[in-house]
């Protein structure tokens, strides 16, 4: 079973930056499209960024130009660089395959507040 361990979240002021990391177990990592999802209180989980095995990236309109997803296949890790953070980015962030596996990691909390 694949294990997903997210890290890097925290409390940041509006306009600030954070870099999230997600360590993924499993030798097949390089063939998967991976994504970062987020879930705000009372909201459904949504996909905010994805990266294919060929490193083609896609972004939700709300984060285009501010977030950047990347991957390191040797480290089986996915990253999300988040810049110009806004209060509406506050959520628990998760990584998973796209489409997602059935199981999820614990996520990492991102709180954007002054």
């Amino acid at each position: 079973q694949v294990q997903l361990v997210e890290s890097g979240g925290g409390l940041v002021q509006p306009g600030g930056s954070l870099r999230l990391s997600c360590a993924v177990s499993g030798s097949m990592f390089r063939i998967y499209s991976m994504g970062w999802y987020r879930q705000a209180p009372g909201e459904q989980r949504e996909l905010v960024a994805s990266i294919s095995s060929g490193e083609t990236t896609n972004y939700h309109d709300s984060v285009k130009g501010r977030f950047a997803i990347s991957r390191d296949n040797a480290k089986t890790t996915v990253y999300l660089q988040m810049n110009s953070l806004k209060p509406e980015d506050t959520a628990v962030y998760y990584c998973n395959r796209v489409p997602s596996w059935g199981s999820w990691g614990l996520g990492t909390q991102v709180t954007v507040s002054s």
Side-chain angles (χ1 to χ4, degrees):
Q1 184 175 352
V2 173
Q3 291 187 324
L4 305 159
V5 181
E6 301 92 348
S7 62
L11 173 63
V12 63
Q13 292 186 340
S17 298
L18 285 172
R19 189 190 192 210
L20 307 184
S21 299
C22 175
V24 183
S25 67
S27 60
M28 302 297 286
F29 173 82
R30 66 178 60 249
I31 72 170
Y32 299 133
S33 290
M34 296 296 300
W36 281 96
Y37 302 73
R38 68 185 180 189
Q39 187 168 20
E43 302 289 334
Q44 290 189 338
R45 190 174 292 162
E46 62 179 358
L47 177 65
V48 296
S50 65
I51 184 166
S52 71
S53 58
E55 302 201 7
T56 298
T57 58
N58 284 285
Y59 299 93
H60 191 281
D61 284 347
S62 65
V63 306
K64 281 181 180 177
R66 301 189 297 121
F67 289 11
I69 189 171
S70 60
R71 65 192 298 161
D72 185 330
N73 288 337
K75 295 181 178 180
T76 63
T77 299
V78 185
Y79 304 97
L80 186 67
Q81 178 67 43
M82 304 188 296
N83 300 323
S84 303
L85 282 161
K86 304 176 180 180
E88 52 263 44
D89 295 319
T90 295
V92 179
Y93 284 72
Y94 304 87
C95 75
N96 209 310
R97 191 185 64 172
V98 179
S100 62
W101 284 297
S103 62
W104 294 79
L106 296 178
T108 186
Q109 175 71 48
V110 172
T111 303
V112 184
S113 175
S114 55

